[in-house]
Amino acid sequence: MTRNVVWDHGVSLPGHRLWLDPLVVRSFAFISHAHTDHARRHREAVLTPQTLALIPEARRPRGWRMLGYDEPMRRDSATVTLLPAGHMLGSAQLLLEHDGTSLLYTGDIKLRVPGTRKQTHVPKAHVLIVETTYGRPHFRFGDPDATVEAIAMWCRRALDSRVAPVLLCHALGKTEEMMLALAPYGFEFALEKRCVPCAESYTGAGRPLPEWIELDGDARGRVVIAPPAGKDEVRRLGRYRTALVSGWAKDAEFARLFGADTTFDLSDHCDFDELMDVVERSGADQVYTVHGYTEDFAHSLRKRGIRASALEATEQLQLAL
């Protein structure tokens, strides 16, 4: 029963009446994190308290069961446990155990988190459902701490030249984690208006942020952070340079689309090698891939003798900035 996994606008475990990050509203679902492509107004959802706090009111589930990390919950005759995923504040993996069989759903996952020596733990499981945004071999990122240092040096050089450094990041999650990573270098920040409610939500969810102001056309002496959609506001700065901070920096086609002056391959998702590590650490004898380069990564696993299949065909990618 636990091995029965179905794709129908989201991952379904029909034997347990449980949906995993479904794309449409369901009666009972797991929401792995607060990004809007994962949050829906389900009748009831299981999620971490931080994820609930970060979901905008319009997308918040109508009912919920908040679950802390490593806090088991009974689901009929099965046990559900949430584990840190390393993707953003509140993000979680889901481990389901029933009659001696275990299934792990990673959601969006990151093993190497900047500023931490400890990697995200991947538990053993018989069945693994893994998110594969960067499931092609050319997505191999540098050491995240070294990349943060390179970003800090780039920002410092710009400020010393009286040029505003602008980091193009996802408004929720990436913006706040960049602020926390760069704060030890002594920077202050100005946030484009789309980032402001996200930063306020982060603080409200229990993660205090470094001092910041809302961008108002003058960011003198500050590092500016904006989503790619916020470029119009950034153009009012006068002298500025932009840097795309994303795993898509490894894809020249996507990098060109953003028209940034430079790119840094810092992502809150696993790169190709990390995805292979997730599979190896899980020890799963059956792997399913979801989101992003699903067919490509499943093919790479099969070439290594691992039983793997894509739950969905490769789709138009959401830009996982």
Side-chain angles (χ1 to χ4, degrees):
M1 177 163 74
T2 301
R3 290 180 176 272
N4 186 14
V5 179
V6 176
W7 173 265
D8 180 9
H9 296 89
V11 180
S12 172
L13 307 181
H16 300 284
R17 299 180 296 116
L18 174 63
W19 291 86
L20 307 174
D21 282 332
L23 304 178
V24 295
V25 173
R26 302 293 187 183
S27 58
F28 189 80
F30 167 58
I31 299 177
S32 65
H33 65 284
H35 282 149
T36 55
D37 58 331
H38 288 253
R40 298 289 185 274
R41 287 187 60 79
H42 305 300
R43 185 176 301 170
E44 188 174 15
V46 58
L47 70 180
T48 66
Q50 296 90 345
T51 292
L52 182 64
L54 291 174
I55 296 176
E57 187 65 37
R59 285 186 172 269
R60 190 169 289 187
R62 287 168 285 176
W64 53 78
R65 298 188 194 180
M66 289 188 290
L67 203 61
Y69 295 134
D70 300 310
E71 179 185 333
M73 179 190 82
R74 296 295 294 177
R75 174 66 175 166
D76 297 332
S77 58
T79 300
V80 169
T81 308
L82 303 189
L83 305 163
H87 174 63
M88 64 175 289
L89 181 63
S91 62
Q93 307 173 72
L94 180 145
L95 179 66
L96 184 142
E97 300 167 286
H98 179 258
D99 281 351
T101 301
S102 56
L103 177 145
L104 177 66
Y105 172 69
T106 65
D108 289 1
I109 186 170
K110 178 66 176 174
L111 294 186
R112 301 177 297 167
V113 180
T116 61
R117 294 185 179 180
K118 185 178 179 181
Q119 292 198 356
T120 300
H121 172 62
V122 178
K124 295 292 184 183
H126 297 95
V127 180
L128 173 67
I129 307 171
V130 61
E131 179 274 337
T132 55
T133 293
Y134 296 120
R136 285 183 172 174
H138 70 280
F139 288 111
R140 287 185 163 97
F141 309 147
D143 174 75
D145 289 324
T147 304
V148 167
E149 185 171 354
I151 294 171
M153 291 175 61
W154 179 84
C155 291
R156 179 57 59 199
R157 285 196 298 268
L159 291 171
D160 288 347
S161 301
R162 298 189 178 182
V163 173
V166 179
L167 304 179
L168 301 177
C169 302
H170 197 293
L172 179 62
K174 194 65 166 289
T175 288
E176 294 75 22
E177 298 304 329
M178 280 306 310
M179 293 169 68
L180 291 165
L182 291 174
Y185 295 89
F187 296 117
E188 295 181 335
F189 303 92
L191 305 184
E192 197 270 341
K193 61 185 178 183
R194 293 167 182 82
C195 297
V196 169
C198 300
E200 291 172 342
S201 295
Y202 240 67
T203 301
R207 182 165 291 179
L209 296 174
E211 188 272 336
W212 59 273
I213 62 170
E214 182 173 353
L215 180 64
D216 64 356
D218 181 8
R220 199 170 308 160
R222 294 175 181 266
V223 173
V224 177
I225 303 182
K231 271 188 166 183
D232 289 343
E233 193 74 18
V234 166
R235 290 190 182 98
R236 298 167 51 197
L237 289 171
R239 298 185 67 209
Y240 67 92
R241 290 182 64 81
T242 57
L244 173 66
V245 183
S246 171
W248 295 112
K250 288 295 186 185
D251 192 308
E253 180 77 19
F254 277 97
R256 276 195 297 270
L257 284 175
F258 292 103
D261 297 307
T262 192
T263 59
F264 295 99
D265 62 353
L266 187 69
S267 177
D268 48 14
H269 291 255
C270 286
D271 68 4
F272 181 85
D273 290 334
E274 285 180 288
L275 289 173
M276 285 294 179
D277 284 347
V278 169
V279 174
E280 182 177 350
R281 294 182 193 188
S282 75
D285 57 39
Q286 174 67 62
V287 178
Y288 295 103
T289 58
V290 291
H291 305 306
Y293 292 112
T294 55
E295 295 282 3
D296 300 75
F297 193 68
H299 178 68
S300 295
L301 290 175
R302 290 193 296 270
K303 283 177 24 178
R304 300 186 182 202
I306 299 170
R307 191 162 52 133
S309 57
L311 277 178
E312 52 174 330
T314 302
E315 58 187 15
Q316 180 65 40
L317 298 176
Q318 294 285 338
L319 294 185
L321 296 178

CSV table of all heavy atoms in Angstrom, one decimal, residues 224-265:
chain,number,residue,atom,x,y,z
A,224,VAL,N,21.1,46.2,-2.5
A,224,VAL,CA,19.7,46.2,-2.9
A,224,VAL,C,19.4,44.7,-3.3
A,224,VAL,O,20.1,44.0,-3.9
A,224,VAL,CB,19.4,47.1,-4.1
A,224,VAL,CG1,18.0,47.0,-4.6
A,224,VAL,CG2,19.8,48.5,-3.8
A,225,ILE,N,18.2,44.3,-2.8
A,225,ILE,CA,17.7,42.9,-3.2
A,225,ILE,C,16.3,43.1,-3.8
A,225,ILE,O,15.5,43.8,-3.2
A,225,ILE,CB,17.7,42.0,-2.0
A,225,ILE,CG1,19.0,41.9,-1.3
A,225,ILE,CG2,17.2,40.6,-2.4
A,225,ILE,CD1,19.1,40.9,-0.1
A,226,ALA,N,16.2,42.5,-5.0
A,226,ALA,CA,14.9,42.6,-5.7
A,226,ALA,C,14.6,41.3,-6.5
A,226,ALA,O,15.6,40.6,-6.9
A,226,ALA,CB,15.0,43.8,-6.7
A,227,PRO,N,13.4,41.0,-6.7
A,227,PRO,CA,13.1,39.9,-7.6
A,227,PRO,C,13.3,40.3,-9.0
A,227,PRO,O,13.3,41.5,-9.3
A,227,PRO,CB,11.6,39.6,-7.3
A,227,PRO,CG,11.0,40.9,-6.8
A,227,PRO,CD,12.2,41.6,-6.1
A,228,PRO,N,13.5,39.4,-9.9
A,228,PRO,CA,13.7,39.8,-11.3
A,228,PRO,C,12.6,40.7,-11.8
A,228,PRO,O,12.8,41.6,-12.7
A,228,PRO,CB,13.8,38.5,-12.1
A,228,PRO,CG,14.3,37.5,-11.1
A,228,PRO,CD,13.7,38.0,-9.8
A,229,ALA,N,11.4,40.5,-11.4
A,229,ALA,CA,10.2,41.3,-11.8
A,229,ALA,C,10.3,42.8,-11.3
A,229,ALA,O,9.6,43.6,-11.7
A,229,ALA,CB,8.9,40.7,-11.3
A,230,GLY,N,11.2,43.0,-10.3
A,230,GLY,CA,11.4,44.4,-9.8
A,230,GLY,C,12.4,45.3,-10.5
A,230,GLY,O,12.8,46.3,-9.9
A,231,LYS,N,12.8,44.9,-11.7
A,231,LYS,CA,13.8,45.7,-12.4
A,231,LYS,C,13.4,47.1,-12.6
A,231,LYS,O,14.3,48.0,-12.7
A,231,LYS,CB,14.2,45.0,-13.7
A,231,LYS,CG,15.3,43.9,-13.5
A,231,LYS,CD,15.7,43.5,-14.9
A,231,LYS,CE,17.0,42.7,-14.8
A,231,LYS,NZ,17.5,42.3,-16.1
A,232,ASP,N,12.1,47.4,-12.9
A,232,ASP,CA,11.7,48.8,-13.2
A,232,ASP,C,12.0,49.7,-12.0
A,232,ASP,O,12.5,50.8,-12.2
A,232,ASP,CB,10.2,48.8,-13.5
A,232,ASP,CG,9.9,48.2,-14.8
A,232,ASP,OD1,10.8,48.0,-15.6
A,232,ASP,OD2,8.7,47.9,-15.0
A,233,GLU,N,11.8,49.2,-10.8
A,233,GLU,CA,12.1,50.0,-9.6
A,233,GLU,C,13.6,50.2,-9.5
A,233,GLU,O,14.1,51.3,-9.1
A,233,GLU,CB,11.6,49.3,-8.4
A,233,GLU,CG,11.5,50.1,-7.1
A,233,GLU,CD,10.4,51.1,-7.1
A,233,GLU,OE1,9.5,51.0,-7.9
A,233,GLU,OE2,10.5,52.1,-6.3
A,234,VAL,N,14.4,49.2,-9.8
A,234,VAL,CA,15.8,49.3,-9.7
A,234,VAL,C,16.4,50.3,-10.7
A,234,VAL,O,17.4,51.0,-10.4
A,234,VAL,CB,16.4,47.9,-10.0
A,234,VAL,CG1,17.9,48.0,-10.2
A,234,VAL,CG2,16.1,46.9,-8.9
A,235,ARG,N,15.8,50.5,-11.8
A,235,ARG,CA,16.3,51.4,-12.8
A,235,ARG,C,16.4,52.9,-12.3
A,235,ARG,O,17.1,53.7,-12.9
A,235,ARG,CB,15.5,51.3,-14.1
A,235,ARG,CG,15.7,50.0,-14.9
A,235,ARG,CD,15.1,50.1,-16.3
A,235,ARG,NE,15.2,48.8,-16.9
A,235,ARG,CZ,14.3,47.8,-17.0
A,235,ARG,NH1,13.1,48.0,-16.4
A,235,ARG,NH2,14.5,46.7,-17.6
A,236,ARG,N,15.6,53.2,-11.3
A,236,ARG,CA,15.6,54.5,-10.8
A,236,ARG,C,16.9,54.8,-9.9
A,236,ARG,O,17.1,56.0,-9.5
A,236,ARG,CB,14.4,54.7,-9.9
A,236,ARG,CG,13.0,54.6,-10.6
A,236,ARG,CD,11.9,54.4,-9.6
A,236,ARG,NE,11.9,55.5,-8.7
A,236,ARG,CZ,11.2,55.5,-7.5
A,236,ARG,NH1,10.4,54.4,-7.2
A,236,ARG,NH2,11.2,56.5,-6.7
A,237,LEU,N,17.7,53.8,-9.7
A,237,LEU,CA,18.9,54.0,-8.9
A,237,LEU,C,20.0,54.8,-9.5
A,237,LEU,O,20.8,55.4,-8.8
A,237,LEU,CB,19.4,52.6,-8.5
A,237,LEU,CG,18.6,51.8,-7.5
A,237,LEU,CD1,19.1,50.4,-7.3
A,237,LEU,CD2,18.6,52.5,-6.1
A,238,GLY,N,20.0,54.9,-10.8
A,238,GLY,CA,21.1,55.6,-11.5
A,238,GLY,C,22.2,54.7,-11.8
A,238,GLY,O,22.1,53.8,-12.7
A,239,ARG,N,23.3,54.7,-11.0
A,239,ARG,CA,24.4,53.8,-11.2
A,239,ARG,C,24.2,52.6,-10.4
A,239,ARG,O,24.1,52.6,-9.1
A,239,ARG,CB,25.7,54.5,-10.8
A,239,ARG,CG,26.1,55.8,-11.6
A,239,ARG,CD,27.4,56.3,-11.2
A,239,ARG,NE,28.5,55.4,-11.6
A,239,ARG,CZ,29.6,55.3,-10.9
A,239,ARG,NH1,29.9,56.0,-9.8
A,239,ARG,NH2,30.6,54.4,-11.4
A,240,TYR,N,24.1,51.4,-11.1
A,240,TYR,CA,23.9,50.2,-10.4
A,240,TYR,C,24.4,49.0,-11.3
A,240,TYR,O,24.5,49.2,-12.5
A,240,TYR,CB,22.4,50.0,-10.0
A,240,TYR,CG,21.5,49.8,-11.2
A,240,TYR,CD1,21.2,48.5,-11.7
A,240,TYR,CD2,20.9,50.8,-11.9
A,240,TYR,CE1,20.4,48.3,-12.8
A,240,TYR,CE2,20.1,50.7,-13.0
A,240,TYR,CZ,19.8,49.4,-13.4
A,240,TYR,OH,19.0,49.2,-14.5
A,241,ARG,N,24.6,47.9,-10.6
A,241,ARG,CA,25.0,46.7,-11.3
A,241,ARG,C,24.1,45.5,-10.7
A,241,ARG,O,23.8,45.6,-9.5
A,241,ARG,CB,26.5,46.3,-11.2
A,241,ARG,CG,27.3,47.3,-12.0
A,241,ARG,CD,28.8,46.9,-11.9
A,241,ARG,NE,29.1,45.6,-12.6
A,241,ARG,CZ,29.2,45.4,-13.9
A,241,ARG,NH1,29.1,46.5,-14.7
A,241,ARG,NH2,29.5,44.3,-14.3
A,242,THR,N,23.7,44.6,-11.6
A,242,THR,CA,22.9,43.5,-11.2
A,242,THR,C,23.6,42.2,-11.2
A,242,THR,O,24.4,41.9,-12.1
A,242,THR,CB,21.6,43.4,-12.1
A,242,THR,OG1,22.0,43.3,-13.4
A,242,THR,CG2,20.8,44.7,-11.9
A,243,ALA,N,23.2,41.3,-10.3
A,243,ALA,CA,23.7,40.0,-10.2
A,243,ALA,C,22.5,39.0,-10.0
A,243,ALA,O,21.8,39.2,-9.0
A,243,ALA,CB,24.7,39.8,-9.1
A,244,LEU,N,22.4,38.0,-10.9
A,244,LEU,CA,21.4,37.0,-10.7
A,244,LEU,C,22.0,35.9,-9.7
A,244,LEU,O,23.1,35.4,-10.0
A,244,LEU,CB,21.1,36.3,-12.0
A,244,LEU,CG,20.2,35.1,-12.0
A,244,LEU,CD1,18.8,35.5,-11.5
A,244,LEU,CD2,20.1,34.4,-13.3
A,245,VAL,N,21.3,35.7,-8.6
A,245,VAL,CA,21.7,34.7,-7.6
A,245,VAL,C,20.8,33.5,-7.8
A,245,VAL,O,19.7,33.5,-7.2
A,245,VAL,CB,21.7,35.3,-6.2
A,245,VAL,CG1,22.3,34.2,-5.2
A,245,VAL,CG2,22.6,36.5,-6.2
A,246,SER,N,21.2,32.4,-8.4
A,246,SER,CA,20.3,31.3,-8.8
A,246,SER,C,21.1,30.2,-9.3
A,246,SER,O,22.2,30.3,-10.0
A,246,SER,CB,19.3,31.8,-9.8
A,246,SER,OG,18.6,30.7,-10.3
A,247,GLY,N,20.6,29.0,-9.2
A,247,GLY,CA,21.1,27.8,-9.8
A,247,GLY,C,21.1,27.9,-11.3
A,247,GLY,O,21.8,27.3,-12.1
A,248,TRP,N,20.1,28.7,-11.8
A,248,TRP,CA,20.0,28.9,-13.3
A,248,TRP,C,21.2,29.6,-13.9
A,248,TRP,O,21.3,29.7,-15.1
A,248,TRP,CB,18.7,29.7,-13.6
A,248,TRP,CG,17.5,28.9,-13.3
A,248,TRP,CD1,16.6,29.2,-12.3
A,248,TRP,CD2,17.0,27.7,-13.8
A,248,TRP,NE1,15.6,28.2,-12.2
A,248,TRP,CE2,15.9,27.3,-13.2
A,248,TRP,CE3,17.5,26.8,-14.9
A,248,TRP,CZ2,15.2,26.1,-13.5
A,248,TRP,CZ3,16.9,25.7,-15.2
A,248,TRP,CH2,15.7,25.3,-14.5
A,249,ALA,N,22.1,30.1,-13.0
A,249,ALA,CA,23.3,30.7,-13.6
A,249,ALA,C,24.1,29.7,-14.4
A,249,ALA,O,24.9,30.1,-15.2
A,249,ALA,CB,24.2,31.2,-12.4
A,250,LYS,N,23.9,28.4,-14.1
A,250,LYS,CA,24.6,27.4,-14.8
A,250,LYS,C,24.0,27.1,-16.2
A,250,LYS,O,24.5,26.3,-17.0
A,250,LYS,CB,24.6,26.1,-14.0
A,250,LYS,CG,25.5,26.1,-12.8
A,250,LYS,CD,27.0,26.2,-13.2
A,250,LYS,CE,27.9,26.1,-12.1
A,250,LYS,NZ,29.3,26.3,-12.4
A,251,ASP,N,22.9,27.7,-16.5
A,251,ASP,CA,22.2,27.5,-17.8
A,251,ASP,C,22.3,28.9,-18.5
A,251,ASP,O,21.6,29.8,-18.2
A,251,ASP,CB,20.8,27.1,-17.6
A,251,ASP,CG,20.1,26.6,-18.8
A,251,ASP,OD1,20.1,27.4,-19.8
A,251,ASP,OD2,19.5,25.5,-18.8
A,252,ALA,N,23.1,28.9,-19.6
A,252,ALA,CA,23.4,30.2,-20.3
A,252,ALA,C,22.1,30.8,-20.9
A,252,ALA,O,21.9,32.0,-20.9
A,252,ALA,CB,24.4,30.0,-21.4
A,253,GLU,N,21.2,29.9,-21.3
A,253,GLU,CA,19.9,30.4,-21.9
A,253,GLU,C,19.1,31.1,-20.9
A,253,GLU,O,18.6,32.2,-21.2
A,253,GLU,CB,19.2,29.2,-22.5
A,253,GLU,CG,17.8,29.5,-23.1
A,253,GLU,CD,18.0,30.1,-24.5
A,253,GLU,OE1,19.1,29.9,-25.1
A,253,GLU,OE2,17.1,30.8,-25.0
A,254,PHE,N,18.9,30.6,-19.7
A,254,PHE,CA,18.1,31.2,-18.7
A,254,PHE,C,18.8,32.5,-18.2
A,254,PHE,O,18.2,33.5,-17.9
A,254,PHE,CB,17.9,30.3,-17.5
A,254,PHE,CG,16.7,29.4,-17.7
A,254,PHE,CD1,16.9,28.1,-18.2
A,254,PHE,CD2,15.4,29.8,-17.5
A,254,PHE,CE1,15.8,27.2,-18.4
A,254,PHE,CE2,14.3,29.0,-17.7
A,254,PHE,CZ,14.5,27.7,-18.2
A,255,ALA,N,20.2,32.4,-18.0
A,255,ALA,CA,20.9,33.5,-17.5
A,255,ALA,C,20.7,34.7,-18.4
A,255,ALA,O,20.6,35.9,-18.0
A,255,ALA,CB,22.4,33.2,-17.3
A,256,ARG,N,20.8,34.5,-19.7
A,256,ARG,CA,20.6,35.6,-20.7
A,256,ARG,C,19.2,36.2,-20.6
A,256,ARG,O,19.1,37.4,-20.8
A,256,ARG,CB,20.8,35.1,-22.1
A,256,ARG,CG,22.3,35.0,-22.6
A,256,ARG,CD,22.4,34.9,-24.1
A,256,ARG,NE,21.9,33.6,-24.5
A,256,ARG,CZ,22.5,32.5,-24.6
A,256,ARG,NH1,23.8,32.4,-24.3
A,256,ARG,NH2,21.9,31.4,-25.0
A,257,LEU,N,18.2,35.4,-20.3
A,257,LEU,CA,16.9,36.0,-20.2
A,257,LEU,C,16.8,37.1,-19.1
A,257,LEU,O,16.0,38.0,-19.3
A,257,LEU,CB,15.9,34.8,-19.8
A,257,LEU,CG,15.5,33.8,-20.9
A,257,LEU,CD1,14.6,32.7,-20.3
A,257,LEU,CD2,14.8,34.6,-22.0
A,258,PHE,N,17.5,37.0,-18.1
A,258,PHE,CA,17.5,37.9,-17.0
A,258,PHE,C,18.3,39.2,-17.3
A,258,PHE,O,18.1,40.2,-16.6
A,258,PHE,CB,17.9,37.3,-15.7
A,258,PHE,CG,16.9,36.3,-15.2
A,258,PHE,CD1,17.2,34.9,-15.3
A,258,PHE,CD2,15.7,36.6,-14.6
A,258,PHE,CE1,16.3,33.9,-14.9
A,258,PHE,CE2,14.8,35.7,-14.2
A,258,PHE,CZ,15.1,34.3,-14.3
A,259,GLY,N,19.2,39.1,-18.2
A,259,GLY,CA,20.0,40.3,-18.6
A,259,GLY,C,20.8,40.9,-17.4
A,259,GLY,O,21.1,42.1,-17.4
A,260,ALA,N,21.3,40.0,-16.5
A,260,ALA,CA,22.1,40.5,-15.4
A,260,ALA,C,23.5,40.8,-15.8
A,260,ALA,O,24.0,40.1,-16.7
A,260,ALA,CB,22.0,39.5,-14.2
A,261,ASP,N,24.2,41.7,-15.1
A,261,ASP,CA,25.6,41.9,-15.4
A,261,ASP,C,26.5,40.8,-15.0
A,261,ASP,O,27.5,40.5,-15.6
A,261,ASP,CB,26.1,43.2,-14.6
A,261,ASP,CG,25.3,44.4,-15.0
A,261,ASP,OD1,25.3,44.7,-16.3
A,261,ASP,OD2,24.7,45.1,-14.2
A,262,THR,N,26.1,40.0,-14.0
A,262,THR,CA,26.9,38.8,-13.6
A,262,THR,C,25.9,37.8,-12.9
A,262,THR,O,24.8,38.2,-12.6
A,262,THR,CB,28.0,39.2,-12.6
A,262,THR,OG1,28.9,38.1,-12.5
A,262,THR,CG2,27.5,39.6,-11.2
A,263,THR,N,26.4,36.6,-12.7
A,263,THR,CA,25.6,35.6,-12.1
A,263,THR,C,26.4,34.8,-11.0
A,263,THR,O,27.6,34.7,-11.1
A,263,THR,CB,25.1,34.6,-13.1
A,263,THR,OG1,26.2,33.9,-13.8
A,263,THR,CG2,24.2,35.2,-14.2
A,264,PHE,N,25.7,34.3,-10.0
A,264,PHE,CA,26.3,33.5,-9.0
A,264,PHE,C,25.4,32.2,-8.8
A,264,PHE,O,24.2,32.3,-8.7
A,264,PHE,CB,26.4,34.2,-7.7
A,264,PHE,CG,27.3,35.4,-7.7
A,264,PHE,CD1,26.8,36.7,-7.8
A,264,PHE,CD2,28.7,35.2,-7.5
A,264,PHE,CE1,27.7,37.8,-7.8
A,264,PHE,CE2,29.5,36.3,-7.5
A,264,PHE,CZ,29.0,37.6,-7.7
A,265,ASP,N,26.0,31.1,-8.9
A,265,ASP,CA,25.3,29.8,-8.8
A,265,ASP,C,25.0,29.4,-7.4
A,265,ASP,O,25.3,28.3,-7.0
A,265,ASP,CB,26.0,28.7,-9.6
A,265,ASP,CG,27.4,28.4,-9.0
A,265,ASP,OD1,27.8,29.1,-8.1
A,265,ASP,OD2,28.0,27.4,-9.5
